[in-house]
Each structure stands twice: as C-alpha cells, then as structure tokens.
C-alpha cells in the first residue's frame, strides 16, 4: 500500500471514520432507485442529499478542508450558476427550482469528492465501496438479465416512484438489458465501466482480488448490453496496455490519435464522429439516428449560443427522436455554448494539473494512471450517450476526487514547486517540522518540504 503523508496540512483531511461514513452514505443514496414529488419537483435521496449539502460543502472548501482552492473549483461553480441562469432565461422563474436542483447535483458531487478524498487511503476507499456495491448488485443484475425484472425497484414500488423498464431498452441476444438501480442500462454500464482501470491499479498487489474485481466490473458492464459502456472498457484496456508496453509514452499516443483522426477524415466520405457513431453501436440504425440527432442538435445549439434552448424540444424532423445521445451536445443545447466551454475548461485544467503533479511514490503514480485512463475513457464515451442522475453525480464526484493528486500534502504541481537548493531536488517527506537539526553537512530538506506542502 502507498505511504501516507502526514505532514503540513494533514489536519485538513477528514477523520478516517467520518470519511468512511460520509462516503458510505453517498454510495447508499447514489444506488437507491426511488424518487418522490415535492412541490412539483422530483426528488430522490441523492438529489435531496445534494441539495442539503451544497452550501455546507462550499463553506467547508472555503475553510480549507479540501486543501488549496484551484481553478476548477471556480469553473465548476460557474458552470452550475450558468445552468440556473440559462433555465431562468428560457423558462422564467418557474424553472429556477429545477435549475437549482441540477446545479446542486454538480456542485455537491464535485466538492464532496474534493473533501472526502485527501490521501491515497481515501482514494482506495472509493473503489472498495465500488467493489462492495458491484458484489451486492450482481445477483439482482444477473436475475434481471434473464427475466427483465428490476428486483430492487420492485421492492420499493409500493411506497415510492421507482425506475421502470422503458421502451428504448430493447432486449438483445435473447437477454434483457440490466438497469439494476439506474434509470437506464447505459447508466448502469458506465458506473461499472469506470471501475475497471481503477480496480487494475488499486488491487495490483492482491492478484486474486484484482482478478475478481476486474472480471466482475467487465461482466456487469456487459450486462447493460450497450455499446457505449463496452467502448469505455475497451478504451481503458487499450490505454493500460499502451502504458505497460511503452512505460507511459502518452504524447506519442496523443500524436497517433490525432493522426488517426486526420486519416479517417481524409479517406472517408464521413466525419470521424459519424464513423464512430456508425461502428460503435450494436444497431447500425442507432448509429444513423445518432448522426441525425447530432446534426439537428448542433443547429439548435448554434442558433441559440448564449443560453441554449433550455428543456424545450429542439427543431427536427418527425423521424428524429427527441432524446439526445451526446452529453456534451446536450449541455450546449440546453444551457448554451458558455456552459459547455466552462465545463470543458474546468475538466481540462483538472487534467493538466494532475499530469503536472509531482508524486513521490510509484504507487501514487500508478493510481494516477488508472484514474486518468478511466476518466478519459468515460468522458470520451459521453460523445455517444447522455448521462444523468446517479451516474452523472458519480462521474462529477470522481472529477472532484481526483484533485487530491495535486492538492494533498504529498503532491505538488511543478508550477508551485520552488527552485531546489544547490540544484538538488527537494525531498518529499511524510514527516512534519521537527526540532531536530539536520544531519551535519546535509541540508535539512524535511523542514523545506513541510513548508512547501502547507
């Protein structure tokens, strides 16, 4: 296991017991497939949790409980504010409660991740709870795969509104697509898929647990019978293999990806995105529909660039469905191009900061690879699907949870690192300031390192 840093600002980390309880509560409300109406607003345990937690979480971050403030914090708040503003601009005051609810899901999930994950043990805890959740859901998912019965939702049906099997989730290959506790099989599949690369790196030292965890995540991703989550798994496996074979030649991979995009664009009579839609689906007709949705949805976004169209239907022919299978496109359509740019800028700044973070432990560097690989795969997959409710909250939570790589005591960005004395690198240490003097003839790097992490 990774060595923990306990110097400088360790007091800002939540106590282990409180952190475990808070994260356990988050997973419980995340996976409850129930909702109810209150004053015309649909509420679920997750949404209620996020609404009540938004302000306290923001105050806790301002008080320093999540380490130093970062640019992504401001951009996430800006994105949430634009959600409220765009819905008010399109629908008036009547839709402000909906805007506040949607914004709180973003802000609360993000800052919950920022606060609860401050060290490597906290990061591992996410995926331990994730593994427990998959083990718990597996027998219900397996039963649903063969029978089509959403067991957990059926148990709550007499009391609450619950998820139900929609017309769009057709059975495939003689099996039924699994919802488990999510509003759509795609959401269930993405929740399972995001675990894969993280399970690979978290459980590297325990071979049997690693095989169990990864196999379970891949098998349950398949149960969604959806191409998008499976694409996310394939991308993770390919990137992990690249990492193993090239020792992390990520710039070379980026160049090859750009070259592949250009080649497809030159030799095909379709755009690379259209090629992706056509081949990354179980049903070719679904791919063509996605292309039509992208065409008319893009027109709607460009014709309403500032505040979008809100939750109004977008102009399209009758044969084009009203659902939009592209998360990024739907953000631009509903809330305008500024919302999309703010969100993308926040995620981009987050990724750059993680890549630049100096991590003193190979275990932490391995965690970074697994985290970035899983998140890149899922965020890329969102070009082919929309994500909402619990799956959306979990992805935003993971984005916030990744900030510990560059804001915790044992990690610093290159931009924040002072020049090393005598041209020698600073030694990152798990020890705080000590009255003991340095070894004669050697600089006391312990004190410099402790000051640097505060």
């Amino acid at each position: 296991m990774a060595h923990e840093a306990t110097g400088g600002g360790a007091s800002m980390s939540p106590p282990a017991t409180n952190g475990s309880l808070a994260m356990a509560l988050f997973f419980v409300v995340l996976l409850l497939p129930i909702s109810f109406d209150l004053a015309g607003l649909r509420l679920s345990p997750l949404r209620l949790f996020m609404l009540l937690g938004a302000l306290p979480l923001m105050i806790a971050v301002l008080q320093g409980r999540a380490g130093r403030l970062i640019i992504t914090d401001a951009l996430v708040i800006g994105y949430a504010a634009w959600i409220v503003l765009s819905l008010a601009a399109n629908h008036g005051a009547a839709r402000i409660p909906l805007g506040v609810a949607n914004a709180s899901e973003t802000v609360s999930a993000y800052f919950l991740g920022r606060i609860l994950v401050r060290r490597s043990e906290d990061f591992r805890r996410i995926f331990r709870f994730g593994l427990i959740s998959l083990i718990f859901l597996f027998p219900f998912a397996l039963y649903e795969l063969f029978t089509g019965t959403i067991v957990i939702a059926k148990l709550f049906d007499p009391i609450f509104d619950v998820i139900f099997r929609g017309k769009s989730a057709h059975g495939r290959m003689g099996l039924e697509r699994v919802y488990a506790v999510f509003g759509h099989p795609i959401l269930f599949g993405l929740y399972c898929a995001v675990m894969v690369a993280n399970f690979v790196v978290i459980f590297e030292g325990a071979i049997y647990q690693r095989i169990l965890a990864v196999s379970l995540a891949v098998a349950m991703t398949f149960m969604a019978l959806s191409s998008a989550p499976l694409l996310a798994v394939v991308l993770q496996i390919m990137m992990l293999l690249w990492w193993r074979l090239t020792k992390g030649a990520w710039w070379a991979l980026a160049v090859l990806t750009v070259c592949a995009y250009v080649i497809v664009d030159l030799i095909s009579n379709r755009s690379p995105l259209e090629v992706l839609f056509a081949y990354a689906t179980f049903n070719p007709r679904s791919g063509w529909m996605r292309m039509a949705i992208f065409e008319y949805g893009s027109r709607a976004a460009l014709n309403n660039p500032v505040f979008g169209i809100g939750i109004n239907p977008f102009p399209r022919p009758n044969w084009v469905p009203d659902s939009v299978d592209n998360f990024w496109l739907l953000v631009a359509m509903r809330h305008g191009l500024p919302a999309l740019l703010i969100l993308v800028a926040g995620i981009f700044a987050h990724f750059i900061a993680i890549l630049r973070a100096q991590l003193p432990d190979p275990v932490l560097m391995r965690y970074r690879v697994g985290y970035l690989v899983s998140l890149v795969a899922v965020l890329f997959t969102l070009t082919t699907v929309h994500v909402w409710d619990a799956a959306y909250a979990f992805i935003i939570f993971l984005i916030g949870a990744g900030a510990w790589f560059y804001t915790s005591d044992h990690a610093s960005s290159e931009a924040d690192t002072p020049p090393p004395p005598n041209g020698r690198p600073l030694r990152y240490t798990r020890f705080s300031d000590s009255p003991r003097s340095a070894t004669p003839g050697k600089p006391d790097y312990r004190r410099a390192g402790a000051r640097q992490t505060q």
Side-chain angles (χ1 to χ4, degrees):
M1 293 300 181
H3 300 295
E4 299 295 349
T6 57
S11 60
M12 292 186 298
S13 300
T17 302
N18 292 344
S20 295
L21 291 175
M23 195 174 292
L25 178 60
F26 172 65
F27 271 90
V28 168
V29 298
L30 189 77
L31 301 177
L32 279 174
I34 63 176
S35 62
F36 52 92
D37 288 330
L38 182 64
L41 184 66
R42 186 181 67 85
L43 293 176
S44 64
L46 175 64
R47 177 169 281 186
L48 191 60
F49 180 79
M50 296 302 180
L51 278 169
L52 296 176
L55 185 59
L57 286 169
M58 290 177 65
I59 292 173
V61 169
L62 293 175
Q63 290 175 339
R65 290 182 56 191
R68 62 184 172 88
L69 297 177
I70 56 177
I71 183 63
T72 303
D73 295 345
L75 291 171
V76 166
I77 293 174
Y79 170 66
W82 203 272
I83 289 176
V84 179
L85 186 62
S86 65
L87 290 181
N90 280 288
H91 305 287
R95 289 298 182 181
I96 289 180
L98 176 62
V100 170
N102 290 338
S104 69
E105 288 177 354
T106 301
V107 170
S108 295
Y110 171 79
F111 284 121
L112 187 68
R114 288 274 279 116
I115 290 172
L116 291 185
V117 182
R118 301 297 307 135
R119 52 186 182 167
S120 57
E121 176 59 32
D122 300 331
F123 184 71
R124 289 192 294 271
R125 187 181 295 125
I126 297 174
F127 300 102
R128 286 173 180 160
F129 277 119
L131 178 58
I132 291 170
S133 71
L134 294 190
I135 293 172
F136 172 77
L137 291 175
F138 178 73
F140 303 108
L142 190 63
Y143 182 80
E144 184 181 349
L145 182 68
F146 291 101
T147 67
T149 301
I150 309 175
V151 179
I152 298 177
K154 191 173 182 179
L155 295 175
F156 287 103
D157 191 25
I159 305 172
F160 298 100
D161 296 331
V162 296
I163 60 173
F164 57 90
R165 187 166 295 278
K167 295 180 180 178
S168 63
H170 304 291
R172 289 168 176 162
M173 299 179 289
L175 302 170
E176 297 293 337
R177 300 176 68 185
V178 172
Y179 287 70
V181 291
F182 291 87
H184 195 280
I186 289 174
L187 305 183
F188 169 68
L190 286 176
Y191 175 77
C192 299
V194 79
M195 303 288 180
V196 173
N198 290 291
F199 282 169
V200 169
V201 299
I202 292 293
F203 299 118
E204 180 159 317
I207 184 65
Y208 296 112
Q209 190 174 8
R210 185 190 198 188
I211 293 173
L212 167 66
V214 174
S215 300
L216 186 63
V218 173
M220 294 181 72
T221 301
F222 171 78
M223 290 181 184
L225 300 179
S226 176
S227 57
L230 290 174
L231 174 62
V233 170
V234 170
L235 288 174
Q236 289 177 80
I237 293 172
M238 292 174 64
M239 285 188 281
L240 288 174
L241 287 174
W242 177 270
W243 171 52
R244 294 292 190 186
L245 293 174
T246 68
K247 308 301 181 183
W250 298 113
W251 282 112
L253 180 61
V255 171
L256 288 174
T257 302
V258 172
C259 290
Y261 182 95
V262 172
I263 291 171
V264 171
D265 195 37
L266 290 175
I267 67 176
S268 175
N269 59 356
R270 295 175 291 176
S271 71
L273 191 60
E274 290 174 333
V275 173
L276 174 66
F277 288 161
Y279 291 102
T281 56
F282 277 112
N283 186 346
R285 183 177 180 276
S286 175
W288 286 106
M289 277 299 175
R290 283 193 171 110
M291 285 185 276
I293 291 169
F294 184 80
E295 177 184 352
Y296 290 101
S298 298
R299 290 182 189 178
L302 293 174
N303 290 335
N304 303 271
V306 180
F307 294 119
I309 62 174
I311 57 175
N312 294 312
F314 65 103
R316 66 194 189 282
N318 291 333
W319 54 271
V320 176
D322 59 355
S323 63
V324 178
D325 297 323
N326 186 320
F327 171 78
W328 309 108
L329 175 60
L330 193 61
V331 169
M333 287 173 56
R334 282 186 175 174
H335 308 299
L337 297 180
L340 178 62
L341 292 175
I342 292 170
L343 178 59
V344 170
I347 295 174
F348 182 76
H350 177 65
F351 270 61
I352 293 300
I354 294 177
L355 289 172
R356 295 183 64 195
Q358 296 178 331
L359 303 178
D361 192 325
V363 175
L364 303 184
M365 291 188 282
R366 190 174 74 235
Y367 289 178
R368 173 170 59 185
V369 170
Y371 172 81
L372 289 178
V373 162
S374 66
L375 209 54
V376 165
V378 169
L379 294 179
F380 175 80
T381 304
L382 294 187
T383 59
T384 66
V385 294
H386 179 44
V387 63
W388 65 96
D389 286 347
Y392 170 77
F394 188 63
I395 291 172
I396 297 297
F397 169 80
L398 285 181
I399 292 173
W404 77 279
F405 284 109
Y406 56 95
T407 63
S408 62
D409 298 331
H410 51 268
S412 65
S413 68
E414 294 173 354
D416 293 337
T417 304
N422 303 321
R424 298 175 62 183
L426 286 172
R427 176 188 172 194
Y428 289 83
T429 174
R430 62 186 296 187
F431 299 102
S432 60
D433 289 348
S434 170
R436 294 177 295 174
S437 61
T439 303
K442 294 184 180 180
D444 189 354
Y445 293 145
R446 291 178 303 174
R447 296 184 64 83
R451 285 194 298 273
Q452 181 178 325
T453 58
Q454 290 178 351

